[in-house]
Amino acid sequence: MTGRRRTRSSYLPGTGRFTRSVRARTATLVAGASLLAGCGVVPGTTGGAGDDPVVVMTWAPQGTGATNKPGMPAFAQAYARWINDNGGLDGRPLKVLTCNDHNDTVGAATCARRAVKEGAVAVVGSYSQYSKSFFPPLEGGGVPYIGGYGVTEDEFTSPLSYPVNGGQPALLAGLGEELAKTCGRIALVRPDTIAGDTQPVMLDAGLDTGGHSPSKDQRAAEDATEYGTAAEAALREATGGATSAKGCVVPALGDRTSIFMDSFRRVRDDWPAVRTASVLGSVDQTEIDSTGGTDGPYEGSYVTGWYPVASDPRWDELKKIIKEEAFSDTRIDAEDTGVQTTYLAFTVLRQAVASLKGGKVTADSLKSALDDGLKVDTGGLTPTLNWEFSGRLGSVGFPRMVNADVTLQVVRDGRLVAARSGFLDVTKSLQAASLK
């Protein structure tokens, strides 16, 4: 008895069209060609504008000595395979270009120029610290930047930026509000970079909202291979040099946080009352596991994030995409905030394309849709997203910031879990920071 084989719609790269495929996709090219010849348009697609792929780019640093986000472009490609297997973006095939910005100004500018040159209608779900390099080419080419990681201020000021979260400002302000209730002296360990220079302002704004004194700013090299000196200095700052004093150390070094914590564990024995806290993107479940879980330095630590915890059922579609299209790709982790942000950025793109109702998808048409009041529903993973310069966050100095909500998480029994239900709005702290 022969079983019935499952079929799916799949995009054929280079053709601009879809065909029907079974599990062994290569065996169906002839069948797809027959459909094209017999009907002109394959079921599940639209004619006209729907024949041309929607081209976007996703970039991130990979293989560098500082922060790397390989999961973001890898997930973008997995998302393209998944959406094309399910009829495309409102019937249009999606093509994702990827680029490595190499964590430098030249690489960031190169990626942006390539996006414009190769006809990308948007840059989606990307990470780069070098907005001064990548925004001018994008703005010159009129290409929108959807769902960047929020690591630079320009992502909240450029008219072509459409962020899905409050970036580092919101995370640090939210962490400051919480630590004001529980910590004595606080030492912030952050990168000695232009992007890192904004971190103390945001953390201190949250601390001030909670009635706490400012943090001690501890700069550290972004690409160091060990942080013993920085760790010891942070412990002294957090305690005033008294080994029995309570205090908090807040490492916010991105991918290098794990290296810092390795050094921190080696020197912290003399300061047993010191606690740690951080933000997602610098700390995740993998980092907590690698530093000892329940017995590690993060136990009891508060961590702020932009979204619900990874175990929340609202992430089920993200996990389904990974399972179906990238199960064996170790670069992609559903708990990675970069992957989560990329997923939300493509959610924005998907709804923006649908709002065009079959019209041509261009950089201009997407920008018009996003600027003209489009409300994007993310299924509760964020508030409804709507980009307007006249919004209440315009007074913060970040006119493109439409989401100042963060979640508060805590490491309990070695697991990162929700510390409270719902979101915390940090608009008040961000407004205070903008006045400094």
Side-chain angles (χ1 to χ4, degrees):
M1 183 175 180
T2 303
R4 185 175 181 178
R5 295 184 297 177
R6 180 170 63 92
T7 62
R8 299 195 300 181
S9 174
S10 181
Y11 173 55
L12 293 178
T15 67
R17 298 180 182 275
F18 291 94
T19 184
R20 303 297 288 177
S21 65
V22 295
R23 292 171 183 169
R25 296 179 187 176
T26 55
T28 65
L29 295 176
V30 174
S34 298
L35 282 171
L36 290 171
C39 302
V41 178
V42 178
T45 71
T46 60
D51 293 343
D52 299 324
V54 175
V55 180
V56 302
M57 176 177 281
T58 300
W59 65 52
Q62 302 178 61
T64 74
T67 296
N68 296 293
K69 296 291 179 184
M72 297 177 76
F75 176 78
Q77 293 177 316
Y79 185 91
R81 293 191 295 271
W82 177 78
I83 201 71
N84 290 335
D85 284 346
N86 289 278
L89 292 173
D90 200 32
R92 300 164 173 84
L94 172 64
K95 178 181 178 182
V96 173
L97 309 174
T98 63
C99 191
N100 183 353
D101 94 326
H102 296 287
N103 250 326
D104 61 44
T105 57
V106 174
T110 298
C111 287
R113 287 194 295 267
R114 182 183 158 211
V116 174
K117 181 179 180 180
E118 298 194 24
V121 298
V123 174
V124 184
S126 296
Y127 178 103
S128 176
Q129 299 184 54
Y130 299 100
S131 56
K132 300 293 185 188
S133 296
F134 71 72
F135 265 125
L138 293 186
E139 291 172 351
V143 178
Y145 187 73
I146 301 174
Y149 198 80
V151 72
T152 69
E153 288 191 14
D154 291 336
E155 293 174 60
F156 301 108
T157 59
S158 171
L160 280 173
S161 183
Y162 302 88
V164 299
N165 58 51
Q168 291 292 313
L171 292 182
L172 289 163
L175 187 62
E177 289 188 23
E178 190 61 33
L179 295 185
K181 306 172 187 176
T182 60
C183 284
R185 291 166 62 102
I186 298 170
L188 170 67
V189 185
R190 52 85 169 185
D192 188 10
T193 62
I194 293 174
D197 288 344
T198 65
Q199 292 188 10
V201 177
M202 300 304 169
L203 179 65
D204 290 349
L207 290 171
D208 185 63
T209 297
H212 197 286
S213 57
S215 63
K216 308 300 179 181
D217 182 18
Q218 178 71 43
R219 301 183 184 190
E222 184 184 34
D223 57 354
T225 56
E226 70 87 29
Y227 289 95
T229 300
E232 187 165 350
L235 284 162
R236 292 188 183 280
E237 290 283 11
T239 61
T243 56
S244 61
K246 294 182 178 179
C248 289
V249 172
V250 179
L253 293 163
D255 283 1
R256 312 305 279 186
T257 301
S258 60
I259 298 175
F260 172 85
M261 290 306 295
D262 183 59
S263 299
F264 181 83
R265 292 179 69 189
R266 299 179 186 185
V267 299
R268 70 164 300 181
D269 290 346
D270 291 336
W271 289 272
V274 172
R275 298 173 56 197
T276 57
S278 193
V279 295
L280 281 178
S282 289
V283 175
D284 58 18
Q285 189 59 54
T286 301
E287 164 68 3
I288 294 165
D289 292 341
S290 69
T291 54
T294 303
D295 298 324
Y298 287 114
E299 183 65 20
S301 295
Y302 285 114
V303 180
T304 47
W306 297 304
Y307 318 121
V309 292
S311 59
D312 192 291
R314 284 171 283 189
W315 291 114
D316 284 352
E317 184 177 76
L318 167 64
K319 294 174 183 177
K320 177 182 179 182
I321 294 169
I322 295 173
K323 182 179 180 180
E324 291 185 1
E325 301 294 347
F327 184 75
S328 62
D329 192 333
T330 58
R331 296 172 298 174
I332 304 175
D333 185 346
E335 295 184 353
D336 178 359
T337 50
V339 169
Q340 293 172 349
T341 300
T342 304
Y343 167 71
L344 290 169
F346 276 100
T347 300
V348 172
L349 176 69
R350 187 179 184 182
Q351 292 184 36
V353 170
S355 75
L356 300 178
K357 301 186 183 301
K360 191 172 183 180
V361 181
T362 66
D364 285 342
S365 66
L366 283 179
K367 184 178 183 301
S368 294
L370 293 167
D371 287 343
D372 291 345
L374 178 69
K375 291 179 170 58
V376 175
D377 179 7
T378 63
L381 291 168
T382 69
T384 298
L385 302 175
N386 175 226
W387 295 269
E388 294 180 345
F389 271 90
S390 59
R392 63 190 178 95
L393 291 169
S395 62
V396 176
F398 298 139
R400 299 306 276 176
M401 186 183 291
V402 298
N403 175 12
D405 286 3
V406 299
T407 57
L408 182 64
Q409 301 172 27
V410 64
V411 182
R412 186 175 296 139
D413 296 327
R415 301 298 301 174
L416 197 57
V417 299
R420 65 172 65 166
S421 60
F423 293 89
L424 171 67
D425 186 346
V426 299
T427 299
K428 182 179 178 180
S429 290
L430 293 175
Q431 288 172 332
S434 70
L435 297 175
K436 296 182 177 180

